[in-house]
């Protein structure tokens, strides 16, 4: 039987190409590859089916990197944002390691390693400076990128995420949501589990036939062993937690007002900790999946931040 989610992929890929981005795989080092969608003008268009595209140029517009969360790869997470941004910005959409076509034979599962690989890949693609937009798990990777590579990351937009996950924060969050572990919440194995995740992640009650849930589980939740290790690699013991880094970048926290996973109060506290260079904005009638639930409002807020950033800084 045809997997309905997989069957929609060519349509999504076609829409991304119409918006001006195309797929490209970067070998970071032997054994580690990262798949991207990159601006069409920066790579060749293969004439034959087996021919691989080549990089032919650096981005000519200000660069925005969209970093996905745990439940879906890059273009699934950002499908409603790409077309709104490509006219003014060079948009790069990576798949983090063990999502989409990205993988590594290294044992490191930390957000730091994801950030290192993403920056190395972006440099190979000719990106020198960028704004990073990070959602959920991708937000934690974005914070690491900004901390380690301030010369590349000029600013950030963060949605539904935190700087680092402590043992106590994870335990409190899971208890409040009624899940026994991060894997139970973020890597469902059953239709019921996926419905539970969606009911927590979305503000509106979403209805899909069970068949579609099954197909989504099959397509989106691959590499389960490695993703389980990524979840464990996120958590820092309370004794190892350090003070929030002082980020030189401008940071905009763009939140779903009804986010149940990382609540608005957490974002407001984080704004105070991050200091004067950080602004906060919430979108009503939206949960954790804010960019999918209220894409038009989210895009307007995102574009406002980007345009004001580039006017002030360039």
């Amino acid at each position: 039987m045809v997997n309905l989610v997989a069957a929609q992929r060519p349509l999504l890929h076609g829409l991304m190409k119409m918006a001006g981005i195309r797929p490209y795989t970067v070998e970071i080092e032997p054994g580690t590859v990262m798949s991207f969608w990159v601006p069409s003008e920066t790579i060749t268009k293969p004439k034959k089916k087996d021919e691989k595209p080549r990089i032919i140029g650096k981005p000519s517009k200000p660069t925005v990197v969209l970093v996905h969360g745990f439940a879906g790869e890059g273009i699934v997470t950002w499908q409603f944002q790409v077309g709104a941004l490509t006219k003014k910005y060079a948009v790069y959409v990576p798949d983090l390691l063990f999502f989409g076509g990205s993988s590594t034979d290294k044992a490191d599962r930390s957000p730091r390693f994801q950030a290192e690989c993403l920056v190395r890949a972006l440099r190979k693609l000719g990106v020198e400076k960028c704004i990073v937009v990070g959602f959920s798990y991708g937000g934690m990777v974005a914070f690491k990128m900004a901390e380690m590579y301030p010369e590349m990351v000029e600013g950030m937009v963060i949605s539904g995420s935190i700087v680092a996950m402590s043992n106590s924060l994870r335990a409190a969050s899971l208890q409040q949501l009624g899940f026994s572990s991060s894997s139970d919440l973020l890597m469902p194995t059953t239709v019921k589990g996926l419905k539970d995740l969606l009911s927590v992640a979305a503000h509106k009650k979403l209805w899909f036939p069970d068949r579609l849930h099954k197909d989504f589980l099959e397509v989106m939740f691959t590499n389960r062993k490695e993703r389980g290790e990524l979840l464990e690699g996120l958590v820092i013991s309370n004794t190892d937690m350090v003070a929030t880094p002082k980020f030189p970048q401008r940071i905009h926290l763009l939140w779903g007002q009804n986010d149940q996973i990382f609540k608005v109060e957490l974002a407001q506290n984080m704004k105070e900790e991050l200091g004067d260079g950080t602004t906060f904005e919430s979108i009503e009638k939206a949960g954790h999946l804010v960019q999918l639930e209220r894409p038009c409002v989210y895009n307007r807020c995102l574009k406002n931040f980007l345009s004001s950033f580039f006017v002030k800084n360039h």
Side-chain angles (χ1 to χ4, degrees):
M1 195 182 282
V2 173
N3 182 304
L4 296 174
V5 176
Q8 287 170 1
R9 267 204 172 135
L11 174 63
L12 182 57
H13 287 193
L15 290 170
M16 293 300 107
K17 287 172 183 173
M18 282 170 65
I21 60 174
R22 297 217 315 274
Y24 185 83
T25 300
V26 179
E27 184 179 41
I28 297 160
E29 59 184 65
T32 302
V33 296
M34 199 169 255
S35 56
F36 276 79
W37 284 75
V38 305
S40 300
E41 66 274 13
T42 63
I43 57 172
T44 57
K45 192 171 184 180
K47 292 183 172 65
K48 296 175 188 166
K49 202 173 182 183
D50 301 334
E51 191 184 332
K52 290 183 178 173
R54 289 177 296 103
I55 300 166
I56 51 169
K58 294 181 177 183
S60 57
K61 293 180 273 195
T63 299
V64 177
V65 180
L66 304 175
V67 190
H68 65 81
F70 216 82
E73 59 201 44
I75 57 167
V76 173
T77 301
W78 301 109
Q79 58 187 291
F80 299 127
Q81 281 65 54
V82 171
L85 297 175
T86 47
K87 191 174 176 184
K88 283 193 175 178
Y89 304 102
V91 176
Y92 289 78
V93 189
D95 290 328
L96 294 171
L97 298 171
F98 302 112
F99 295 85
S102 301
S103 64
T104 183
D105 57 7
K106 304 288 184 293
D108 194 336
R109 299 289 183 261
S110 65
R112 171 180 283 269
F113 184 62
Q114 292 272 22
E116 281 173 13
C117 289
L118 182 44
V119 167
R120 287 174 68 187
L122 286 167
R123 283 181 177 152
K124 282 177 179 274
L125 290 166
V127 174
E128 292 166 6
K129 291 183 181 295
C130 62
I131 296 272
V132 182
V133 184
F135 165 67
S136 199
Y137 176 61
M140 296 181 215
V141 174
F143 274 124
K144 272 291 164 210
M145 288 172 72
E147 182 187 349
M148 294 161 63
Y149 305 98
E151 72 286 352
M152 176 182 270
V153 180
E154 295 188 287
M156 287 188 288
V157 178
I158 301 292
S159 297
S161 190
I162 47 177
V163 178
M165 175 72 82
S166 67
N167 269 327
S168 54
L169 182 59
R170 176 172 73 166
S173 181
L174 288 169
Q175 185 180 10
Q176 178 238 317
L177 293 169
F179 288 84
S180 59
S181 72
S182 300
S183 292
D184 280 353
L185 170 62
L186 294 169
M187 290 200 302
T189 55
T190 63
V191 166
K192 182 187 179 302
L194 181 55
K195 285 180 177 177
D196 290 344
L197 169 58
L198 288 171
S199 72
V200 165
H203 170 60
K204 302 182 191 80
K205 192 166 172 58
L206 303 171
W207 185 88
F208 299 110
D210 285 357
R211 163 82 192 283
L212 206 57
H213 284 100
K214 274 183 194 157
D215 290 351
F216 190 85
L217 280 171
E218 202 176 288
V219 171
M220 286 298 157
F221 292 95
T222 54
N223 297 322
R224 284 181 177 272
K225 175 181 173 287
E226 291 85 358
R227 289 197 198 178
E229 293 163 358
L230 290 176
L231 284 174
E232 289 309 309
L234 268 183
V235 182
I236 300 167
S237 71
N238 290 2
T239 52
D240 292 337
M241 282 295 279
V242 293
T244 300
K246 291 289 172 226
F247 291 97
Q249 298 92 343
R250 268 185 70 193
I251 301 169
H252 189 54
L253 307 176
L254 183 52
W255 236 253
Q257 202 168 306
N258 308 95
D259 193 328
Q260 295 302 304
I261 295 176
F262 293 118
K263 295 200 165 186
V264 160
E265 294 77 19
L266 191 110
Q268 289 165 333
N269 292 340
M270 188 163 62
K271 177 190 178 296
E272 298 309 311
E273 280 181 31
L274 290 168
D276 294 342
T278 302
T279 47
F280 169 79
E281 188 174 16
S282 67
I283 295 173
E284 60 181 23
K285 297 180 186 167
H288 189 63
L289 297 170
V290 55
Q291 80 284 6
L292 292 169
E293 285 196 277
R294 303 290 308 277
C296 295
V297 183
Y298 187 92
N299 293 350
R300 187 165 67 244
C301 298
L302 177 57
K303 288 196 286 188
N304 284 346
F305 173 80
L306 292 172
S307 59
S308 72
F309 179 91
F310 285 113
V311 164
K312 282 180 186 172
N313 292 274
H314 293 268

